[in-house]
Amino acid sequence: MNNEHVNCRKDLVEGGEGHHWEKNLKVRNRRRFAREKFVSVKMSLIVTALLPSVLLLLLSLPSSQAFVNPIDVITRDFQALTRKVTAHHILLPKSTDVALSLKQSIRNKVSPKSSDDPKYIVDVFSAAAQKYSRDEETAVRGGLLGTKVPQGYCRAKELDAACFKAPLGEIAGPIESEYGYHLLLVTERTNCSKLDGKYNKIIRDADGVSTKFVRGDSQEGSEEIQTVALQQVGFWMGVSLAGGVLAEVAAKAANVVDTLPWE
């Protein structure tokens, strides 16, 4: 009886229904494994492509800004790199009394309340720079540091920082640096909308004396910002698509799928 039972089981396995059932089970398991491997390969390629850039982005941000809109980050960084300023300065010896005295003197000559013959602020500041500034290079041009010069242009880092913090059209200082004390007058700034609002430039008003705030190139580079943002979005979409296609090709080459989706 035992031999007959063994022979019957052998027949079922080798040529009967049991053989077909085990074969179908193996096929189903093989296909399931192929699908799982395909998905795993695809996700691994996508993550591998994106992870380095994502990590660099997160590491470059403060912890409070680790989860922000990437386009906002691109825009902010682009603006920071393209900020420009037009400013005048007067370099004085390190004497608070001297700096404050000259600052008040310039204000008095500009204000109609303090002078019977008020002058335009840039004219008064430039004349004072030519007369009193110890920076010979800029004194000859009325203390002009530069016209629309980028952040980082000034040799004195304290003066450079003040160019992007001082109120527009007002005399700032004294600002201390290794060279001495500076008085500063900013006449135009670009890409500093949070500080200046929509008016980022001063000009001489119609009366020739008053200061008028106008809208200059406050959005300088806005088209470039949009272009960079779109390029970044397009790039990462392309990377994701390429990662998926590469995963499918790799899976086909490894014989884990029978056909590719487009075949």
Side-chain angles (χ1 to χ4, degrees), residues 19-229:
H19 174 70
H20 292 294
W21 181 82
E22 290 185 4
K23 183 178 180 180
N24 291 336
L25 179 61
K26 290 180 180 179
V27 170
R28 285 196 298 270
N29 288 338
R30 193 159 50 242
R31 288 178 178 174
R32 184 183 65 180
F33 174 75
R35 286 195 299 268
E36 291 174 352
K37 186 173 181 181
F38 168 71
V39 172
S40 177
V41 170
K42 184 175 181 179
M43 291 304 299
S44 297
L45 288 172
I46 294 174
V47 171
T48 301
L50 295 177
L51 187 57
S53 296
V54 172
L55 288 176
L56 286 174
L57 176 62
L58 292 177
L59 289 173
S60 66
L61 296 174
S63 58
S64 60
Q65 298 180 351
F67 300 98
V68 295
N69 188 330
I71 295 180
D72 292 340
V73 175
I74 295 169
T75 302
R76 182 199 63 201
D77 291 345
F78 185 88
Q79 288 179 336
L81 291 172
T82 56
R83 286 176 185 154
K84 297 179 181 179
V85 68
T86 300
H88 300 250
H89 90 123
I90 301 173
L91 178 60
L92 300 169
K94 288 190 176 183
S95 169
T96 304
D97 292 340
V98 170
L100 292 178
S101 177
L102 180 58
K103 181 178 182 179
Q104 188 59 49
S105 175
I106 295 172
R107 284 177 171 174
N108 291 340
K109 292 178 181 179
V110 171
S111 174
K113 297 180 180 180
S114 305
S115 175
D116 295 332
D117 185 24
K119 306 292 184 183
Y120 179 48
I121 188 171
V122 178
D123 292 343
V124 178
F125 195 94
S126 295
Q130 290 176 341
K131 186 175 182 179
Y132 299 110
S133 182
R134 291 190 167 188
D135 183 353
E136 297 179 357
E137 181 180 350
T138 63
V140 295
R141 53 177 187 264
L144 181 64
L145 290 166
T147 301
K148 288 187 179 181
V149 294
Q151 196 165 9
Y153 177 82
C154 299
R155 289 193 299 269
K157 62 181 181 179
E158 297 86 357
L159 181 62
D160 189 79
C163 285
F164 296 91
K165 294 179 181 178
L168 187 70
E170 297 182 16
I171 303 172
I175 302 156
E176 184 177 4
S177 75
E178 61 179 303
Y179 302 101
Y181 281 180
H182 305 261
L183 296 182
L184 176 68
L185 176 64
V186 176
T187 59
E188 183 178 7
R189 253 188 310 248
T190 60
N191 290 335
C192 292
S193 56
K194 288 185 178 180
L195 178 61
D196 300 324
K198 60 181 180 180
Y199 300 112
N200 67 305
K201 182 179 181 180
I202 63 168
I203 61 172
R204 191 190 308 269
D205 207 348
D207 61 7
V209 175
S210 302
T211 299
K212 183 178 182 180
F213 290 82
V214 298
R215 187 172 185 174
D217 298 326
S218 59
Q219 299 301 321
E220 186 173 283
S222 59
E223 293 183 359
E224 289 87 344
I225 293 172
Q226 296 176 3
T227 300
V228 171

